[in-house]
Amino acid sequence: MSALVVENLTVTFGRFRALDALSLAVDPGEIRAVIGPNGAGKTTLLDVISGITKPVSGRVLIGDGIDLTTRSEAEIAKAGIRRKFQKPSVFPALTIRENLEIGCGTGLSATERPARIAEILAETGLAPREHAQAGALAHGEKQWLEIGMVLASNPRIILLDEPVAGLSDSETERTAALIRSLRRLDRAILVIEHDMAFVEAIADRVTVLHEGRTLFEGSLHGARADSRVIEVFLGR
Ligand SMILES: Nc1ncnc2c1ncn2[C@@H]1O[C@H](COP(=O)(O)OP(=O)(O)OP(=O)(O)O)[C@@H](O)[C@H]1O
Ligand SMILES: [Mg+2]
């Protein structure tokens, strides 16, 4: 059974089709990269999965057949789906620890929270910086903090939009290691990214989107050898 299923999803903005009968299935334990040229519909896909945008047709289902399509953003988050947006959105005046406390939300009791925060600080490598103010962090540290906030609620589906945009090579490598370490059999991870070395480091399979449709699905190696993918995306 798939962890996440997108069925025949169509999203329109006026007369423009941002997603055009798009279908996609992500396995439990899988890290899937969604790649493709600017405007292909990648962020729109995450917007639909997280309930921000409603499709004109099609469905989004998770593992046990739960249909998310008609649910609110809050209900979708409660069902265990968490997202990191393209632009970092940490609370700059608060410390790393305080940001993570907010990330834990109301799902954890006051006695459970410190242990969970300690785990996340260790997982993200941010433990030595826990009292640093988020606004003063390096770009990479901010991204890791955001990933930490996503992790706080122990989500079963993680959606990451361009997690290494603007990062240095060493920050990118560390982010790849972090994302690989998040892999669990009861979790699926969907990552949008333009950096192909990073995609190669993390993804089991790639979905190449073009004009709201799937142009290719399979290994990155296969995508690189596909003449249509080269023509519209990788060859540029
Ligand atoms: N709210 C909106 N209203 C109108 N058009 C929109 C809206 N959101 C997205 N679009 C259009 O839909 C298309 C797909 O946008 P989307 O942001 O999903 O692309 P993307 O693949 O994430 O691109 P990028 O790589 O640049 O982030 C684009 O042409 C965009 O201009
Ligand atoms: Mg985008």
Side-chain angles (χ1 to χ4, degrees):
M1 193 193 275
S2 301
L4 174 70
V5 176
V6 164
E7 261 178 19
N8 274 313
L9 218 52
T10 295
V11 171
T12 56
F13 297 112
R15 292 164 76 185
F16 175 72
R17 274 173 189 255
L19 295 180
D20 190 4
L22 179 71
S23 295
L24 155 103
V26 185
D27 287 339
E30 182 178 355
I31 302 179
R32 171 74 59 92
V34 178
I35 63 179
N38 293 117
K42 304 180 297 294
T43 298
T44 303
L45 170 64
L46 296 201
D47 287 345
V48 176
I49 296 169
S50 48
I52 295 168
T53 297
K54 292 295 171 196
V56 290
S57 58
R59 298 195 300 171
V60 177
L61 307 167
I62 51 172
D64 19 23
I66 301 172
D67 188 344
L68 299 182
T69 325
T70 55
R71 298 198 183 196
S72 69
E73 271 179 76
E75 286 168 332
I76 291 170
K78 214 167 171 194
I81 295 161
R82 281 299 149 93
R83 168 168 186 189
K84 195 195 89 53
F85 286 88
Q86 223 160 326
K87 268 181 73 185
S89 56
V90 296
F91 298 99
L94 303 181
T95 65
I96 286 183
R97 169 172 284 276
E98 288 163 345
N99 269 279
L100 291 175
E101 274 163 7
I102 291 172
C104 286
T106 51
L108 291 178
S109 70
T111 47
E112 291 167 319
R113 215 171 288 151
R116 184 73 195 117
I117 290 172
E119 274 170 24
I120 296 164
L121 286 169
E123 266 183 295
T124 54
L126 290 170
R129 305 276 285 144
E130 65 172 305
H131 300 300
Q133 212 181 331
L137 299 177
H139 194 49
E141 292 174 318
K142 258 183 213 163
Q143 296 285 353
W144 304 326
L145 173 55
E146 283 233 30
I147 293 173
M149 290 177 77
V150 160
L151 286 178
S153 62
N154 199 11
R156 62 157 136 181
I157 294 176
I158 298 178
L159 310 170
L160 302 171
D161 201 343
E162 303 200 22
V164 298
L167 298 196
S168 69
D169 288 352
S170 66
E171 287 173 328
T172 297
E173 277 168 33
R174 202 172 134 184
T175 307
L178 170 58
I179 292 172
R180 281 197 304 265
S181 76
L182 305 182
R183 184 200 297 279
R184 286 192 350 209
L185 262 179
D186 57 354
R187 173 179 282 163
I189 305 177
L190 204 58
V191 186
I192 297 176
E193 196 40 69
H194 285 286
D195 178 336
M196 288 307 120
F198 174 76
V199 167
E200 186 162 26
I202 61 163
D204 301 304
R205 286 188 288 179
V206 301
T207 296
V208 184
L209 287 195
H210 177 52
E211 295 179 345
R213 274 172 256 154
T214 307
L215 191 62
F216 176 90
E217 192 170 281
S219 67
L220 179 60
H221 183 75
R224 283 179 160 145
D226 186 284
S227 58
R228 293 162 309 162
V229 177
I230 293 168
E231 192 192 324
V232 307
F233 180 50
L234 292 176
R236 283 185 187 168

